[in-house]
PDB file of all heavy atoms in Angstrom:
ATOM      1  N   TYR A  54      10.551  -9.296   0.154  1.00 94.00           N
ATOM      2  CA  TYR A  54      11.035  -7.940   0.527  1.00 94.00           C
ATOM      3  C   TYR A  54      12.497  -7.871   0.103  1.00 94.00           C
ATOM      4  O   TYR A  54      13.251  -8.890   0.191  1.00 94.00           O
ATOM      5  CB  TYR A  54      10.963  -7.670   2.053  1.00 94.00           C
ATOM      6  CG  TYR A  54       9.581  -7.603   2.544  1.00 94.00           C
ATOM      7  CD1 TYR A  54       8.921  -8.788   2.922  1.00 94.00           C
ATOM      8  CD2 TYR A  54       8.902  -6.454   2.711  1.00 94.00           C
ATOM      9  CE1 TYR A  54       7.573  -8.750   3.384  1.00 94.00           C
ATOM     10  CE2 TYR A  54       7.659  -6.384   3.203  1.00 94.00           C
ATOM     11  CZ  TYR A  54       6.994  -7.630   3.503  1.00 94.00           C
ATOM     12  OH  TYR A  54       5.710  -7.525   3.971  1.00 94.00           O
ATOM     13  N   GLN A  56      15.939  -5.801   1.300  1.00 94.00           N
ATOM     14  CA  GLN A  56      16.477  -4.949   2.352  1.00 94.00           C
ATOM     15  C   GLN A  56      17.929  -4.616   2.052  1.00 94.00           C
ATOM     16  O   GLN A  56      18.828  -5.401   2.170  1.00 94.00           O
ATOM     17  CB  GLN A  56      16.356  -5.589   3.737  1.00 94.00           C
ATOM     18  CG  GLN A  56      16.802  -4.578   4.862  1.00 94.00           C
ATOM     19  CD  GLN A  56      16.526  -5.194   6.254  1.00 94.00           C
ATOM     20  OE1 GLN A  56      16.495  -6.435   6.446  1.00 94.00           O
ATOM     21  NE2 GLN A  56      16.313  -4.367   7.274  1.00 94.00           N
ATOM     22  N   GLY A  61      15.148  -0.207   5.943  1.00 89.00           N
ATOM     23  CA  GLY A  61      14.083  -1.125   6.250  1.00 89.00           C
ATOM     24  C   GLY A  61      13.741  -1.976   5.074  1.00 89.00           C
ATOM     25  O   GLY A  61      14.026  -1.599   3.913  1.00 89.00           O
ATOM     26  N   PRO A  62      13.059  -3.082   5.246  1.00 91.00           N
ATOM     27  CA  PRO A  62      12.652  -3.989   4.135  1.00 91.00           C
ATOM     28  C   PRO A  62      11.736  -3.267   3.219  1.00 91.00           C
ATOM     29  O   PRO A  62      10.817  -2.493   3.673  1.00 91.00           O
ATOM     30  CB  PRO A  62      11.967  -5.182   4.835  1.00 91.00           C
ATOM     31  CG  PRO A  62      12.497  -5.190   6.189  1.00 91.00           C
ATOM     32  CD  PRO A  62      12.725  -3.739   6.576  1.00 91.00           C
ATOM     33  N   ARG A  74      -0.865 -10.717  -5.781  1.00 88.00           N
ATOM     34  CA  ARG A  74      -1.909  -9.878  -5.250  1.00 88.00           C
ATOM     35  C   ARG A  74      -1.623  -8.405  -5.137  1.00 88.00           C
ATOM     36  O   ARG A  74      -2.398  -7.562  -5.222  1.00 88.00           O
ATOM     37  CB  ARG A  74      -2.502 -10.467  -3.947  1.00 88.00           C
ATOM     38  CG  ARG A  74      -3.136 -11.791  -4.066  1.00 88.00           C
ATOM     39  CD  ARG A  74      -4.348 -11.704  -4.976  1.00 88.00           C
ATOM     40  NE  ARG A  74      -5.060 -12.972  -5.085  1.00 88.00           N
ATOM     41  CZ  ARG A  74      -6.170 -13.268  -4.411  1.00 88.00           C
ATOM     42  NH1 ARG A  74      -6.659 -12.354  -3.523  1.00 88.00           N
ATOM     43  NH2 ARG A  74      -6.805 -14.361  -4.578  1.00 88.00           N
ATOM     44  N   GLN A  75      -0.363  -8.155  -4.787  1.00 85.00           N
ATOM     45  CA  GLN A  75       0.087  -6.793  -4.596  1.00 85.00           C
ATOM     46  C   GLN A  75       1.509  -6.710  -5.083  1.00 85.00           C
ATOM     47  O   GLN A  75       2.259  -7.665  -5.089  1.00 85.00           O
ATOM     48  CB  GLN A  75       0.109  -6.344  -3.100  1.00 85.00           C
ATOM     49  CG  GLN A  75      -1.206  -6.395  -2.455  1.00 85.00           C
ATOM     50  CD  GLN A  75      -0.970  -5.824  -0.991  1.00 85.00           C
ATOM     51  OE1 GLN A  75      -0.636  -4.668  -0.849  1.00 85.00           O
ATOM     52  NE2 GLN A  75      -1.188  -6.654  -0.030  1.00 85.00           N
ATOM     53  N   GLY A 117      -2.727 -12.437   4.140  1.00 63.00           N
ATOM     54  CA  GLY A 117      -2.033 -11.374   4.959  1.00 63.00           C
ATOM     55  C   GLY A 117      -2.983 -10.802   6.002  1.00 63.00           C
ATOM     56  O   GLY A 117      -2.697 -10.888   7.158  1.00 63.00           O
ATOM     57  N   GLY A 118      -3.964 -10.057   5.569  1.00 60.00           N
ATOM     58  CA  GLY A 118      -4.952  -9.460   6.433  1.00 60.00           C
ATOM     59  C   GLY A 118      -4.250  -8.737   7.621  1.00 60.00           C
ATOM     60  O   GLY A 118      -3.302  -7.970   7.441  1.00 60.00           O
ATOM     61  N   GLY A 119      -4.733  -8.893   8.777  1.00 54.00           N
ATOM     62  CA  GLY A 119      -4.168  -8.245   9.903  1.00 54.00           C
ATOM     63  C   GLY A 119      -3.179  -9.121  10.648  1.00 54.00           C
ATOM     64  O   GLY A 119      -2.756  -8.763  11.726  1.00 54.00           O
ATOM     65  N   THR A 120      -2.912 -10.298  10.125  1.00 66.00           N
ATOM     66  CA  THR A 120      -2.099 -11.275  10.861  1.00 66.00           C
ATOM     67  C   THR A 120      -0.666 -10.861  10.644  1.00 66.00           C
ATOM     68  O   THR A 120      -0.252 -10.300   9.603  1.00 66.00           O
ATOM     69  CB  THR A 120      -2.278 -12.656  10.326  1.00 66.00           C
ATOM     70  OG1 THR A 120      -1.899 -12.782   8.915  1.00 66.00           O
ATOM     71  CG2 THR A 120      -3.787 -13.097  10.422  1.00 66.00           C
ATOM     72  N   GLU A 121       0.122 -11.218  11.693  1.00 73.00           N
ATOM     73  CA  GLU A 121       1.553 -10.930  11.684  1.00 73.00           C
ATOM     74  C   GLU A 121       2.242 -11.914  10.670  1.00 73.00           C
ATOM     75  O   GLU A 121       1.761 -13.005  10.414  1.00 73.00           O
ATOM     76  CB  GLU A 121       2.186 -11.072  13.022  1.00 73.00           C
ATOM     77  CG  GLU A 121       2.141 -12.490  13.595  1.00 73.00           C
ATOM     78  CD  GLU A 121       0.951 -12.696  14.473  1.00 73.00           C
ATOM     79  OE1 GLU A 121      -0.075 -12.047  14.220  1.00 73.00           O
ATOM     80  OE2 GLU A 121       1.017 -13.451  15.371  1.00 73.00           O
ATOM     81  N   ALA A 122       3.334 -11.427  10.129  1.00 82.00           N
ATOM     82  CA  ALA A 122       4.081 -12.236   9.202  1.00 82.00           C
ATOM     83  C   ALA A 122       5.360 -12.793   9.865  1.00 82.00           C
ATOM     84  O   ALA A 122       5.922 -12.144  10.779  1.00 82.00           O
ATOM     85  CB  ALA A 122       4.502 -11.333   8.001  1.00 82.00           C
ATOM     86  N   PHE A 124       9.194 -14.153   9.152  1.00 91.00           N
ATOM     87  CA  PHE A 124      10.278 -14.078   8.207  1.00 91.00           C
ATOM     88  C   PHE A 124      11.208 -15.252   8.168  1.00 91.00           C
ATOM     89  O   PHE A 124      11.474 -15.829   9.255  1.00 91.00           O
ATOM     90  CB  PHE A 124      11.117 -12.737   8.433  1.00 91.00           C
ATOM     91  CG  PHE A 124      10.388 -11.464   8.029  1.00 91.00           C
ATOM     92  CD1 PHE A 124       9.433 -10.921   8.861  1.00 91.00           C
ATOM     93  CD2 PHE A 124      10.590 -10.944   6.720  1.00 91.00           C
ATOM     94  CE1 PHE A 124       8.781  -9.752   8.520  1.00 91.00           C
ATOM     95  CE2 PHE A 124       9.996  -9.810   6.361  1.00 91.00           C
ATOM     96  CZ  PHE A 124       9.023  -9.196   7.245  1.00 91.00           C
ATOM     97  N   GLY A 125      11.671 -15.503   6.968  1.00 93.00           N
ATOM     98  CA  GLY A 125      12.861 -16.468   6.855  1.00 93.00           C
ATOM     99  C   GLY A 125      14.103 -15.682   7.145  1.00 93.00           C
ATOM    100  O   GLY A 125      14.123 -14.492   7.334  1.00 93.00           O
ATOM    101  N   GLN A 126      15.191 -16.446   7.184  1.00 94.00           N
ATOM    102  CA  GLN A 126      16.514 -15.839   7.545  1.00 94.00           C
ATOM    103  C   GLN A 126      17.082 -15.035   6.420  1.00 94.00           C
ATOM    104  O   GLN A 126      18.056 -14.290   6.599  1.00 94.00           O
ATOM    105  CB  GLN A 126      17.487 -16.955   7.917  1.00 94.00           C
ATOM    106  CG  GLN A 126      18.168 -17.616   6.789  1.00 94.00           C
ATOM    107  CD  GLN A 126      17.332 -18.637   6.023  1.00 94.00           C
ATOM    108  OE1 GLN A 126      16.092 -18.756   6.320  1.00 94.00           O
ATOM    109  NE2 GLN A 126      17.856 -19.445   5.117  1.00 94.00           N
ATOM    110  N   ARG A 129      21.164 -13.533   1.094  1.00 96.00           N
ATOM    111  CA  ARG A 129      22.019 -12.374   0.879  1.00 96.00           C
ATOM    112  C   ARG A 129      22.626 -12.490  -0.535  1.00 96.00           C
ATOM    113  O   ARG A 129      23.424 -13.327  -0.820  1.00 96.00           O
ATOM    114  CB  ARG A 129      23.135 -12.255   1.880  1.00 96.00           C
ATOM    115  CG  ARG A 129      23.831 -10.935   1.888  1.00 96.00           C
ATOM    116  CD  ARG A 129      24.667 -10.656   3.193  1.00 96.00           C
ATOM    117  NE  ARG A 129      23.826 -10.672   4.351  1.00 96.00           N
ATOM    118  CZ  ARG A 129      23.121  -9.518   4.743  1.00 96.00           C
ATOM    119  NH1 ARG A 129      23.172  -8.366   4.024  1.00 96.00           N
ATOM    120  NH2 ARG A 129      22.467  -9.559   5.857  1.00 96.00           N
TER     121      ARG A 129
ATOM    122  N   SER B  57      -3.561  -2.059  10.349  1.00 88.00           N
ATOM    123  CA  SER B  57      -2.879  -2.925  11.335  1.00 88.00           C
ATOM    124  C   SER B  57      -1.474  -2.367  11.554  1.00 88.00           C
ATOM    125  O   SER B  57      -0.835  -1.876  10.566  1.00 88.00           O
ATOM    126  CB  SER B  57      -2.780  -4.350  10.744  1.00 88.00           C
ATOM    127  OG  SER B  57      -4.071  -4.828  10.436  1.00 88.00           O
ATOM    128  N   PHE B  59       2.391  -2.961  13.695  1.00 93.00           N
ATOM    129  CA  PHE B  59       3.243  -3.982  14.428  1.00 93.00           C
ATOM    130  C   PHE B  59       4.598  -3.310  14.689  1.00 93.00           C
ATOM    131  O   PHE B  59       5.046  -2.408  13.912  1.00 93.00           O
ATOM    132  CB  PHE B  59       3.470  -5.217  13.550  1.00 93.00           C
ATOM    133  CG  PHE B  59       2.210  -5.832  13.060  1.00 93.00           C
ATOM    134  CD1 PHE B  59       1.612  -5.468  11.888  1.00 93.00           C
ATOM    135  CD2 PHE B  59       1.608  -6.888  13.798  1.00 93.00           C
ATOM    136  CE1 PHE B  59       0.486  -6.115  11.392  1.00 93.00           C
ATOM    137  CE2 PHE B  59       0.500  -7.520  13.325  1.00 93.00           C
ATOM    138  CZ  PHE B  59      -0.099  -7.131  12.127  1.00 93.00           C
ATOM    139  N   TYR B  61       8.495  -4.773  14.885  1.00 94.00           N
ATOM    140  CA  TYR B  61       9.387  -5.854  14.650  1.00 94.00           C
ATOM    141  C   TYR B  61      10.749  -5.487  15.191  1.00 94.00           C
ATOM    142  O   TYR B  61      11.172  -4.362  15.294  1.00 94.00           O
ATOM    143  CB  TYR B  61       9.527  -6.236  13.231  1.00 94.00           C
ATOM    144  CG  TYR B  61       8.430  -7.142  12.686  1.00 94.00           C
ATOM    145  CD1 TYR B  61       7.172  -6.596  12.367  1.00 94.00           C
ATOM    146  CD2 TYR B  61       8.638  -8.491  12.383  1.00 94.00           C
ATOM    147  CE1 TYR B  61       6.169  -7.401  11.857  1.00 94.00           C
ATOM    148  CE2 TYR B  61       7.702  -9.272  11.870  1.00 94.00           C
ATOM    149  CZ  TYR B  61       6.413  -8.786  11.618  1.00 94.00           C
ATOM    150  OH  TYR B  61       5.454  -9.589  11.195  1.00 94.00           O
ATOM    151  N   GLN B  63      14.871  -6.390  14.702  1.00 95.00           N
ATOM    152  CA  GLN B  63      15.874  -6.961  13.862  1.00 95.00           C
ATOM    153  C   GLN B  63      17.246  -6.915  14.400  1.00 95.00           C
ATOM    154  O   GLN B  63      17.739  -5.725  14.645  1.00 95.00           O
ATOM    155  CB  GLN B  63      15.751  -6.356  12.429  1.00 95.00           C
ATOM    156  CG  GLN B  63      16.624  -7.084  11.406  1.00 95.00           C
ATOM    157  CD  GLN B  63      16.431  -6.551  10.002  1.00 95.00           C
ATOM    158  OE1 GLN B  63      16.107  -5.420   9.774  1.00 95.00           O
ATOM    159  NE2 GLN B  63      16.608  -7.451   9.057  1.00 95.00           N
ATOM    160  N   ARG B  66      22.144  -8.301  10.840  1.00 85.00           N
ATOM    161  CA  ARG B  66      22.290  -9.333   9.801  1.00 85.00           C
ATOM    162  C   ARG B  66      21.345 -10.513  10.035  1.00 85.00           C
ATOM    163  O   ARG B  66      21.658 -11.645   9.591  1.00 85.00           O
ATOM    164  CB  ARG B  66      23.747  -9.807   9.672  1.00 85.00           C
ATOM    165  CG  ARG B  66      24.733  -8.635   9.367  1.00 85.00           C
ATOM    166  CD  ARG B  66      26.124  -9.144   9.208  1.00 85.00           C
ATOM    167  NE  ARG B  66      26.309  -9.936   8.013  1.00 85.00           N
ATOM    168  CZ  ARG B  66      26.632  -9.324   6.813  1.00 85.00           C
ATOM    169  NH1 ARG B  66      26.599  -8.001   6.711  1.00 85.00           N
ATOM    170  NH2 ARG B  66      26.818 -10.080   5.729  1.00 85.00           N
ATOM    171  N   GLU B  68      17.005 -11.807  10.354  1.00 91.00           N
ATOM    172  CA  GLU B  68      15.687 -11.447   9.859  1.00 91.00           C
ATOM    173  C   GLU B  68      14.856 -10.737  10.880  1.00 91.00           C
ATOM    174  O   GLU B  68      15.085 -10.988  12.127  1.00 91.00           O
ATOM    175  CB  GLU B  68      14.920 -12.738   9.335  1.00 91.00           C
ATOM    176  CG  GLU B  68      14.325 -13.614  10.442  1.00 91.00           C
ATOM    177  CD  GLU B  68      15.385 -14.628  10.995  1.00 91.00           C
ATOM    178  OE1 GLU B  68      16.583 -14.384  10.762  1.00 91.00           O
ATOM    179  OE2 GLU B  68      14.923 -15.589  11.580  1.00 91.00           O
ATOM    180  N   PRO B  69      13.861  -9.904  10.468  1.00 92.00           N
ATOM    181  CA  PRO B  69      12.987  -9.303  11.464  1.00 92.00           C
ATOM    182  C   PRO B  69      12.156 -10.267  12.185  1.00 92.00           C
ATOM    183  O   PRO B  69      11.715 -11.283  11.564  1.00 92.00           O
ATOM    184  CB  PRO B  69      12.106  -8.366  10.580  1.00 92.00           C
ATOM    185  CG  PRO B  69      12.866  -8.185   9.318  1.00 92.00           C
ATOM    186  CD  PRO B  69      13.632  -9.488   9.045  1.00 92.00           C
ATOM    187  N   LEU B  71       8.754 -10.589  14.868  1.00 91.00           N
ATOM    188  CA  LEU B  71       7.606  -9.773  15.531  1.00 91.00           C
ATOM    189  C   LEU B  71       7.923  -9.680  16.951  1.00 91.00           C
ATOM    190  O   LEU B  71       8.140 -10.595  17.754  1.00 91.00           O
ATOM    191  CB  LEU B  71       6.337 -10.576  15.289  1.00 91.00           C
ATOM    192  CG  LEU B  71       5.123  -9.915  15.936  1.00 91.00           C
ATOM    193  CD1 LEU B  71       4.801  -8.634  15.165  1.00 91.00           C
ATOM    194  CD2 LEU B  71       3.939 -10.845  15.903  1.00 91.00           C
ATOM    195  N   LYS B 116       0.109  -1.767   7.941  1.00 86.00           N
ATOM    196  CA  LYS B 116      -0.697  -2.468   6.842  1.00 86.00           C
ATOM    197  C   LYS B 116      -1.903  -1.619   6.524  1.00 86.00           C
ATOM    198  O   LYS B 116      -2.645  -1.139   7.422  1.00 86.00           O
ATOM    199  CB  LYS B 116      -1.101  -3.836   7.298  1.00 86.00           C
ATOM    200  CG  LYS B 116       0.014  -4.865   7.398  1.00 86.00           C
ATOM    201  CD  LYS B 116      -0.539  -6.197   7.689  1.00 86.00           C
ATOM    202  CE  LYS B 116       0.542  -7.258   7.692  1.00 86.00           C
ATOM    203  NZ  LYS B 116      -0.022  -8.694   7.848  1.00 86.00           N
ATOM    204  N   TYR B 120      -5.840  -5.658   0.453  1.00 61.00           N
ATOM    205  CA  TYR B 120      -4.986  -6.757   0.646  1.00 61.00           C
ATOM    206  C   TYR B 120      -3.910  -6.389   1.629  1.00 61.00           C
ATOM    207  O   TYR B 120      -2.849  -7.048   1.621  1.00 61.00           O
ATOM    208  CB  TYR B 120      -4.317  -7.100  -0.708  1.00 61.00           C
ATOM    209  CG  TYR B 120      -5.294  -7.808  -1.651  1.00 61.00           C
ATOM    210  CD1 TYR B 120      -5.658  -7.157  -2.846  1.00 61.00           C
ATOM    211  CD2 TYR B 120      -5.925  -9.008  -1.325  1.00 61.00           C
ATOM    212  CE1 TYR B 120      -6.558  -7.805  -3.686  1.00 61.00           C
ATOM    213  CE2 TYR B 120      -6.781  -9.600  -2.172  1.00 61.00           C
ATOM    214  CZ  TYR B 120      -7.145  -9.047  -3.383  1.00 61.00           C
ATOM    215  OH  TYR B 120      -8.038  -9.608  -4.217  1.00 61.00           O
ATOM    216  N   GLN B 121      -4.132  -5.403   2.395  1.00 64.00           N
ATOM    217  CA  GLN B 121      -3.215  -5.043   3.493  1.00 64.00           C
ATOM    218  C   GLN B 121      -1.788  -4.854   3.029  1.00 64.00           C
ATOM    219  O   GLN B 121      -0.862  -5.635   3.374  1.00 64.00           O
ATOM    220  CB  GLN B 121      -3.259  -6.148   4.574  1.00 64.00           C
ATOM    221  CG  GLN B 121      -4.610  -6.278   5.300  1.00 64.00           C
ATOM    222  CD  GLN B 121      -4.739  -5.242   6.309  1.00 64.00           C
ATOM    223  OE1 GLN B 121      -3.932  -4.975   7.161  1.00 64.00           O
ATOM    224  NE2 GLN B 121      -5.888  -4.443   6.265  1.00 64.00           N
ATOM    225  N   LYS B 122      -1.631  -3.855   2.133  1.00 72.00           N
ATOM    226  CA  LYS B 122      -0.292  -3.514   1.726  1.00 72.00           C
ATOM    227  C   LYS B 122       0.612  -3.187   2.955  1.00 72.00           C
ATOM    228  O   LYS B 122       0.190  -2.493   3.817  1.00 72.00           O
ATOM    229  CB  LYS B 122      -0.362  -2.204   0.873  1.00 72.00           C
ATOM    230  CG  LYS B 122       0.994  -1.751   0.348  1.00 72.00           C
ATOM    231  CD  LYS B 122       0.977  -0.419  -0.309  1.00 72.00           C
ATOM    232  CE  LYS B 122       2.319   0.062  -0.545  1.00 72.00           C
ATOM    233  NZ  LYS B 122       2.326   1.469  -1.073  1.00 72.00           N
ATOM    234  N   VAL B 123       1.769  -3.799   2.944  1.00 80.00           N
ATOM    235  CA  VAL B 123       2.697  -3.743   4.074  1.00 80.00           C
ATOM    236  C   VAL B 123       3.764  -2.678   3.830  1.00 80.00           C
ATOM    237  O   VAL B 123       4.426  -2.797   2.750  1.00 80.00           O
ATOM    238  CB  VAL B 123       3.323  -5.157   4.375  1.00 80.00           C
ATOM    239  CG1 VAL B 123       4.315  -5.014   5.460  1.00 80.00           C
ATOM    240  CG2 VAL B 123       2.173  -6.106   4.682  1.00 80.00           C
ATOM    241  N   PHE B 125       7.164  -0.979   5.728  1.00 89.00           N
ATOM    242  CA  PHE B 125       8.043  -0.998   6.847  1.00 89.00           C
ATOM    243  C   PHE B 125       8.679   0.447   6.970  1.00 89.00           C
ATOM    244  O   PHE B 125       8.944   1.059   5.968  1.00 89.00           O
ATOM    245  CB  PHE B 125       9.236  -1.897   6.606  1.00 89.00           C
ATOM    246  CG  PHE B 125       8.987  -3.353   6.964  1.00 89.00           C
ATOM    247  CD1 PHE B 125       8.272  -4.158   6.209  1.00 89.00           C
ATOM    248  CD2 PHE B 125       9.480  -3.823   8.133  1.00 89.00           C
ATOM    249  CE1 PHE B 125       8.028  -5.418   6.528  1.00 89.00           C
ATOM    250  CE2 PHE B 125       9.293  -5.168   8.510  1.00 89.00           C
ATOM    251  CZ  PHE B 125       8.551  -5.974   7.664  1.00 89.00           C
ATOM    252  N   GLY B 126       8.965   0.844   8.228  1.00 91.00           N
ATOM    253  CA  GLY B 126       9.799   2.052   8.381  1.00 91.00           C
ATOM    254  C   GLY B 126      11.246   1.535   8.193  1.00 91.00           C
ATOM    255  O   GLY B 126      11.538   0.418   8.062  1.00 91.00           O
TER     256      GLY B 126
END
Side-chain angles (χ1 to χ4, degrees):
Chain A
Y54 297 83
Q56 187 174 25
R74 290 301 181 99
Q75 296 185 67
T120 65
E121 64 268 27
F124 284 83
Q126 82 284 5
R129 192 164 296 279
Chain B
S57 305
F59 306 88
Y61 277 76
Q63 187 172 28
R66 302 181 74 83
E68 74 275 19
L71 179 68
K116 289 188 175 183
Y120 288 117
Q121 295 282 309
K122 178 190 171 186
V123 176
F125 277 78

